[in-house]
Structures are given as C-alpha cells and as structure tokens.
Amino acid sequence: MRLASEVDILEELDSTRSAAEALDTLQQLTEMQMMSDRLRSERLDHQRLNWHEHARQLMHEGLFVNEYTMSYEAHSNLVEILRPYLQRKEYNSRSSEPIAVEHMVAAGLRHLQGGRVKDARHIIKTSRAACYVAVDDFIDAVNSAPELDIKLPKSPEEWKNANENFRRRSSHDVMGGTVGAIDGFFQRCNKPTLKEVRNVLSYYSGHYESYGVNCQAIVLADLQFMYFGVLTPGSTNDIVTFAMSEVLKDLVDNLPLGLYFVGDAAYPLSEKLLTPYVGVHRHSSPYHDSFNYHLSQLRIRVEMAFGRLVNKFRILSGKING
C-alpha cells in the first residue's frame, strides 16, 4: 500500500510538472506571436531621395544625360508636363515623405532604359510595391499627356519645313519632294497566350526567330517621329501591314501635290511613295543606281531614328511583356 501511494504521488507530480511546462510554452508562443504581429504592423520609414541634391551632383559630374537620357532642362520640362497626372496628395502618404513627381519620373525613365524596378526603388527610396505603382503611373501619364503625342505636319508651313529639312540632306537636291522616311520596326515580345490572341503562331517571325509585333513608322529629317503605329502580328510583312492600315494609306495618299515619302522595296511604288530599283533593274542603267543612292541617302534617316530610339530606351532591345 505504501509503494502504491508513492507511485501515485510521483505520477501526480509529473502530471502537474507537464501541465506547468505546457502552460509556460503556450505563454512563450503567445508572446512571440504578439511580437511578430507588432513588427509586421510597424512600417519602416523610407527616407526619400533628395532629388535636387541628386540632380545637382549628377550635373556636377557631367552624368545627368547619361543617367536619364536627356538634359536636366528637358527632364524638368517633362516633370512639369506630367505633374498634373502624377501629383499625389501628401496626406494620403503613409510615409513621412510622399513620393514626389520627380521620383516617379526618375523611376519610369530608368525602367525604360532597361533597368529593373526593384533596383530603381533603392535609388528613389521607396518600397518595391510603391515603385512598381509609380512606374505604371508614369507610363500612363506619358500616354495621357497630349503635349507628348506624336504629331503629323498639318499646315502647309509645317509640310514645307519638313521638306526643306530633307532637301538640305539630299545631294544636289535630287529628292527635292521628300517629307518623310517610312519603314517597319519589329518589336520582340513574350509569346502571347490564347486568352490574349486568337492566332498565337501569327506573332512568330521566322526572320527574327522571335514572337513580336510589326510596327510602322515615318520620321522627319531630324529623326523625330511623325507617325508610329503598332499594327499587325510579327509574321506579317511590311507590304501587307501597309495595305491593312487605312490610316497609313490615307496619310500617304493625301500628301500635298509634289511631296512624297521614301521607303525600301517592301512598299508599293506610287507617286507619293518612292522605292528603290531592285533585281535586274537595279544595274540595268546608271540612272537607276544613282536614283537608289540618292533615295537611300534620305531613307536611312528612319533607320537612324530606330537606332536612337532603342539606344535611349533599351527596354525595346529585349522582349516586351504583354
């Protein structure tokens, strides 16, 4: 009877000790959970980039154009154009400092240069999510601002200026009626899904060995774009794309009398669109070869414009996400 009583006492002590340990463990876990919740609820304050000091330092080092692909004056003008679309209300900011328009423009330009948004956030000092939103807002603002629209010459004076700029670049004024150079631009993109397009294969270009879209552009002699359109899937060639675009055809057909565009042999020859001699006709006469030379002298302006476009906005050198 004595031995049994000792066993019962020992078991009761063990049971009491186990319950106390379990209660202590539960209390520790509760405290840890409360601390974790408290840390998650606390927001680390991001000290925003001092834009004016940042710009002053870059200009002192002669690196502002290299960093933002434009002069400080042009950047300031861009900020003022986009300010009505990007201005944030300070009282909506959960940080001690709001994200300024200068920060959003800086992040957007770095993204268009091919930089990663998650890297740009460390420069302008924002959270990763806020930086993605800022870049999206910047692109929407650029597309919304009428001051940044690509504009066609409309008045006789504007067409005259476009013509004179090309005439200064044409040897002996041979191509004296040129007002623009036209060509296609293939922009690579990721493979679209069946939810996005009906014919996925039509976006694949065997020539470029990539999925993409066919864009058409017309540029002025100073390499400014007067027209740029994303028109057809990547497998469509230029002549078919041109025929499918009523806007582009109307633009060519309605040129003032005596003026014309120049393009390569992929486009249909007309009085308003001059193309080079090809095949056996190219060398059948010295006049044909001379014509090709003088036409190429001006048509190359559109190739130069594409090169400058991709060089400034290196995001275009890779695949664009849909």
Side-chain angles (χ1 to χ4, degrees):
M1 292 296 295
R2 182 179 177 79
L3 183 58
S5 298
E6 290 179 353
V7 171
D8 292 340
I9 293 172
L10 290 174
E11 288 180 350
E12 184 175 350
L13 288 174
D14 288 340
S15 176
T16 302
R17 191 180 301 116
S18 297
E21 290 175 352
L23 184 62
D24 184 57
T25 301
L26 180 61
Q27 184 176 357
Q28 292 179 12
L29 290 174
T30 302
E31 292 175 354
M32 290 174 63
Q33 182 64 41
M34 292 175 62
M35 183 180 296
S36 177
D37 292 341
R38 193 161 53 248
L39 289 174
R40 280 202 298 268
S41 64
E42 293 177 357
R43 290 178 55 84
L44 294 178
D45 191 32
H46 295 277
Q47 298 297 320
R48 306 285 185 231
L49 170 73
N50 185 324
W51 169 255
H52 297 293
E53 181 63 27
H54 173 67
R56 189 188 68 80
Q57 180 178 349
L58 288 179
M59 286 189 289
H60 175 73
E61 297 171 348
L63 295 176
F64 192 92
V65 175
N66 180 266
E67 291 279 341
Y68 293 103
T69 71
M70 62 182 67
S71 67
Y72 176 76
E73 291 74 18
H75 185 278
S76 298
N77 290 336
L78 179 62
V79 167
E80 293 309 312
I81 289 172
L82 300 181
R83 189 176 299 279
Y85 305 92
L86 294 177
Q87 187 67 58
R88 301 259 181 102
K89 295 180 179 178
E90 295 189 11
Y91 60 77
N92 284 341
S93 176
R94 290 186 291 176
S95 178
S96 62
E97 299 177 72
I99 301 175
V101 175
E102 289 82 359
H103 296 144
M104 289 183 270
V105 173
L109 288 175
R110 287 181 175 276
H111 174 63
L112 294 180
Q113 284 179 272
R116 300 186 302 178
V117 176
K118 63 182 181 181
D119 293 332
R121 64 170 286 245
H122 295 297
I123 298 174
I124 65 173
K125 309 299 183 183
T126 67
S127 68
R128 182 170 177 175
C131 195
Y132 272 102
V133 172
V135 169
D136 288 342
D137 288 347
F138 166 78
I139 294 175
D140 289 341
V142 169
N143 290 329
S144 300
E147 298 92 334
L148 301 179
D149 287 348
I150 296 174
K151 295 180 175 64
L152 285 166
K154 293 182 179 179
S155 68
E157 186 64 27
E158 290 175 333
W159 283 114
K160 181 181 178 182
N161 290 337
N163 177 236
E164 289 178 349
N165 287 335
F166 271 105
R167 294 181 68 175
R168 284 195 290 267
R169 291 170 171 81
S170 178
S171 298
H172 309 293
D173 199 19
V174 172
M175 311 296 292
T178 306
V179 290
I182 183 173
D183 201 5
F185 178 81
F186 181 82
Q187 177 56 57
R188 290 177 171 84
C189 69
N190 290 327
K191 180 181 178 180
T193 65
L194 287 173
K195 292 183 178 179
E196 297 171 321
V197 299
R198 293 181 179 180
N199 187 351
V200 174
L201 192 59
S202 68
Y203 284 80
Y204 185 82
S205 169
H207 177 75
Y208 293 99
E209 298 182 345
S210 173
Y211 288 93
V213 290
N214 185 311
C215 309
Q216 295 292 308
I218 305 176
V219 303
L220 298 167
D222 60 3
L223 308 187
Q224 289 190 57
F225 289 91
M226 72 161 73
Y227 173 86
F228 194 99
V230 181
L231 300 180
T232 58
S235 64
T236 313
N237 58 37
D238 287 341
I239 191 170
V240 174
T241 299
F242 179 82
M244 294 175 63
S245 174
E246 294 298 329
V247 174
L248 199 55
K249 288 191 298 180
D250 288 344
L251 175 60
V252 173
D253 293 340
N254 294 325
L255 278 176
L257 185 64
L259 301 182
Y260 47 78
F261 295 129
V262 293
D264 60 24
Y267 295 94
L269 175 66
S270 71
E271 292 182 358
K272 302 295 181 69
L273 178 54
L274 303 187
T275 61
Y277 289 97
V278 295
V280 297
H281 301 290
R282 179 178 180 180
H283 301 293
S284 61
S285 166
Y287 298 107
H288 293 179
D289 191 57
S290 177
F291 175 86
N292 283 1
Y293 166 77
H294 288 95
L295 184 142
S296 177
Q297 193 176 44
L298 301 184
R299 193 194 64 80
I300 197 174
R301 305 302 294 180
V302 68
E303 302 286 356
M304 295 170 64
F306 289 153
R308 187 168 73 170
L309 178 70
V310 175
N311 187 54
K312 279 185 173 289
F313 304 114
R314 294 186 177 260
I315 189 175
L316 301 176
S317 63
K319 293 182 178 182
I320 300 295
N321 293 322

